[in-house]
Amino acid sequence: MSLEGKTLIMSGGSRGIGLAIALRAARDGANIAMLAKTDTPNPKLPGTVFSAASEIESAGGQALPIVGDVRSDESVAAAVQRTVDEFGGIDIVVNNASAIDLSTTDEISMKRYDLMQDINCRGSFLLSKMALPHLQASAKAGRGPHILTLSPPLNLNPAWAGKHLGYTIAKYGMSLTTLGLAEELKGDGISVNSLWPRTLIATAAVQNVLGGDTSIAVSRKPEIMADAAYLILNTAETANFFIDDAVLAMHGTTDFEHYRTVSGDCELELDIFLDPAEG
């Protein structure tokens, strides 16, 4: 099981889950291109595409930091071409970039609504589409290409849409992209899956949007998502909506204590879009 020599293009990834996935792949010696807007540090959002590239190289991978916007057709096309020019092809797409706003319909601005649709849903569709010819070439070469999107199972419990409709539409749009591409590409030898965390993950979004230190204390570390993603990307499974700890359990790991941000007996908080019965 290895990603050595594989080329991965990721949207976002300057920090959090995306960076953790990139670093796990880098440990195998993978080539990693990162398309992100974060070219300068932000006090509330530590890390840039350049600092992420430095970490990737320190971990053993080859990095290509690309400053760009996943909402822009031209920017994504250029990123894909730069990746191919630098590394000779593309084997893996990771749709990681995502915007979050949990406002209700009467409170959310249309600017924020549009931002979520453009980054989350359209961005995932666009990057997958632009990389598709290279993934098809990877499949013909027997390199096991994959599209992995960080989006939830399509839970049609009305409670989720009722709590934050704009965000739910945006995230479920990503999941529908997985569902549709898995069906569309099943004859091409390209695996297409989604991955979602069982619990909150200690990221800047959780810190700044979902409850600060209180939420961080009942979260797991991004590394659990990275380890699950690594296992998925090393299989030919397709058309699945994976949950991180379930993936690890399927591969023999059942002790998740070391993924906690705070050790102890406190109950971890279930992530959104998962009903309690699924926990």
Side-chain angles (χ1 to χ4, degrees), residues 120-138:
N120 301 7
C121 181
R122 188 181 191 277
S124 298
F125 183 94
L126 176 61
L127 182 56
S128 301
K129 172 182 171 64
M130 293 295 188
L132 189 53
H134 308 291
L135 295 173
Q136 290 168 330
S138 176

Side-chain angles (χ1 to χ4, degrees), residues 14 27 38 40 49 69 100 131 147 155 164 173-174 181 192 212 214 227 235-236 240 256 277:
S14 299
R27 283 159 49 191
T38 49
T40 55
V49 67
D69 191 341
I100 181 170
I147 298 172
N155 185 348
H164 31 66
M174 296 173 76
L181 284 178
V192 187
T214 300
D227 290 346
T235 72
N240 296 288
F256 310 117

Side-chain angles (χ1 to χ4, degrees), residues 31-54:
N31 308 313
I32 301 159
M34 309 183 85
L35 171 63
K37 292 182 68 178
T38 49
D39 58 345
T40 55
N42 181 320
K44 290 188 176 181
L45 298 170
T48 69
V49 67
F50 300 112
S51 64
S54 178

Side-chain angles (χ1 to χ4, degrees), residues 160-259:
W160 296 115
K163 287 180 179 178
H164 31 66
L165 179 57
Y167 183 62
T168 301
I169 292 171
K171 293 305 291 188
Y172 282 18
M174 296 173 76
S175 298
L176 283 170
T177 300
T178 290
L179 186 69
L181 284 178
E183 179 67 17
E184 184 176 343
L185 303 177
K186 65 182 181 181
D188 289 353
I190 301 171
S191 298
V192 187
N193 293 290
S194 280
L195 174 63
W196 194 246
R198 175 86 61 191
T199 72
L200 293 183
I201 300 295
T203 63
V206 169
Q207 178 74 50
N208 297 331
V209 179
L210 298 183
D213 292 342
T214 300
S215 291
I216 293 293
V218 291
S219 300
R220 285 173 172 162
K221 301 173 185 177
E223 284 72 22
I224 190 170
M225 286 286 283
D227 290 346
Y230 179 81
L231 292 170
I232 295 167
L233 293 174
N234 275 289
T235 72
E237 292 278 343
T238 193
N240 296 288
F241 293 96
F242 288 112
I243 303 299
D244 56 359
D245 58 9
V247 174
L248 297 176
M250 284 189 294
H251 287 82
T253 298
T254 55
D255 182 0
F256 310 117
E257 188 64 26
H258 63 289
Y259 292 116

Side-chain angles (χ1 to χ4, degrees), residues 5-21:
K6 296 285 185 74
T7 294
L8 184 156
I9 185 169
M10 175 185 293
S11 61
S14 299
R15 62 186 69 87
I17 294 171
L19 178 57
I21 291 172

